[in-house]
Amino acid sequence: MKKIVCILAGMLCCLLGSISVKADVIWEPDDSFYWEHAEECTHVERMYTTNGPDNQVISYKSPELPQEVETWENGVRVQILFTYEDSRGNLWGIYDDYQGTTGWVPMEYMELVYDSIAFREEYKAQITGDAGELDEKYVGETICLWKYPGSEEYTPMEVSDYTPEYRGIYVDGNGKRWGCVGYYFGIRDTWVCIDEPTADFEQIFPEGAADMAVVDQEIEDKALSESQSTERIVPELNRNLVIIAGILVILVVAATAVLLVKLKRGKNKP
């Protein structure tokens, strides 16, 4: 009986492990303002390029605290995890460097980097709703998970236990089929070439793929060339926080004064 229980427990662990690998995990930053306003934040998790006035973008402690965290020159890529809209209608994005630093930046100064989501929006009329998964013969092989069809950016991934599933198929100008992979071993929202999953860019596109999608660099160059002359957006200090801080200071001063009076009286006693 004990042996059977152990076997069942082992099978359950394997099942749970498989489920956890396939689960779509959303990373939440360790940031006090985010946790206070999590329900008001929108999940984004996309890459942006800094493009602020005076050739710089400043990140702040929070949308309500104008304490500067970092300053970047234009052209730096930053992953925005969530966005938050303040009382003035300004949209703020939070980033996490995964080394203990988080900050909030005005999304007005962030240009979206062309990605899989942008590709799907641009080519939605040409993407079918078909679904499937790569053939099991690719288990043990190294496949390429692409940023989007036609992009030169891809992640090599060794297929171990199971092949990636895809939903939505796009056929490029060369007749090759591409499947959109929602999630696979920690990598989210990529594409796999169904017909040649192990091939690299030069093998799939020997003559290039500039006609398939907008090139990242062209988008960034255009965005960075646009001048911005508006007044810089900075956090508006939360008046409630100022009032609370003032009250706390008054209470501390009062408590200190009372304590000093008591100590003085104690010394004067015979």
Side-chain angles (χ1 to χ4, degrees):
M1 180 66 180
K2 185 177 181 180
K3 184 176 181 180
I4 295 176
V5 172
C6 290
I7 293 174
L8 291 175
M11 293 175 63
L12 179 60
C13 289
C14 291
L15 178 61
L16 292 176
S18 175
I19 292 174
S20 63
V21 168
K22 294 186 179 182
D24 191 359
V25 180
I26 295 178
W27 173 267
E28 293 185 281
D30 186 13
D31 181 88
S32 58
F33 184 87
Y34 168 76
W35 287 114
E36 291 175 8
H37 301 270
E39 294 184 358
E40 305 166 58
C41 294
T42 301
H43 179 240
V44 178
E45 200 166 343
R46 299 175 75 179
M47 296 298 297
Y48 289 79
T49 303
T50 55
N51 185 29
D54 302 323
N55 195 40
Q56 64 179 15
V57 170
I58 302 172
S59 66
Y60 300 91
K61 190 68 175 177
S62 84
E64 296 179 349
L65 185 60
Q67 177 183 339
E68 297 184 9
V69 177
E70 293 183 88
T71 299
W72 299 305
E73 292 184 352
N74 286 352
V76 176
R77 285 194 176 188
V78 181
Q79 185 184 47
I80 298 299
L81 301 175
F82 292 85
T83 56
Y84 168 84
E85 185 175 340
D86 65 19
S87 59
R88 297 176 295 171
N90 293 323
L91 194 64
W92 295 82
I94 184 173
Y95 69 91
D96 189 336
D97 69 355
Y98 306 110
Q99 295 180 349
T101 300
T102 59
W104 294 81
V105 294
M107 294 305 293
E108 179 73 18
Y109 306 146
M110 307 298 288
E111 296 291 341
L112 179 67
V113 175
Y114 195 88
D115 56 11
S116 176
I117 297 175
F119 181 89
R120 292 202 308 271
E121 292 173 349
E122 183 175 355
Y123 292 90
K124 60 182 178 181
Q126 299 168 246
I127 299 174
T128 70
D130 298 332
E133 61 182 303
L134 285 185
D135 194 288
E136 291 185 358
K137 69 180 182 180
Y138 293 108
V139 172
E141 299 286 332
T142 298
I143 63 172
C144 297
L145 296 178
W146 300 82
K147 187 176 180 181
Y148 56 83
S151 170
E152 295 187 18
E153 295 184 30
Y154 66 89
T155 301
M157 173 67 71
E158 182 178 351
V159 179
S160 54
D161 299 326
Y162 61 91
T163 57
E165 300 175 353
Y166 53 82
R167 180 174 296 278
I169 296 178
Y170 170 82
V171 180
D172 65 27
N174 298 323
K176 290 184 173 59
R177 297 174 301 153
W178 296 78
C180 184
V181 180
Y183 187 86
Y184 187 67
F185 283 97
I187 302 178
R188 181 183 290 107
D189 216 346
T190 56
W191 292 77
V192 63
C193 182
I194 301 171
D195 300 316
E196 297 185 70
T198 61
D200 60 19
F201 184 84
E202 293 183 355
Q203 291 173 316
I204 297 179
F205 307 111
E207 298 180 1
D211 60 328
M212 289 182 56
V214 182
V215 181
D216 291 350
Q217 194 60 47
E218 291 180 355
I219 296 177
E220 293 184 20
D221 290 344
K222 180 181 178 181
L224 296 177
S225 66
E226 297 176 353
S227 61
Q228 299 188 42
S229 58
T230 57
E231 184 178 352
R232 182 176 293 278
I233 299 172
V234 297
E236 184 177 34
L237 192 62
N238 189 324
R239 293 183 179 180
N240 292 331
L241 292 178
V242 176
I243 294 173
I244 292 173
I247 293 174
L248 290 175
V249 170
I250 293 173
L251 290 175
V252 170
V253 172
T256 303
V258 171
L259 182 60
L260 290 174
V261 170
K262 287 185 176 181
L263 289 174
K264 187 175 181 180
R265 288 179 178 176
K267 289 181 179 180
N268 293 333
K269 288 184 179 180

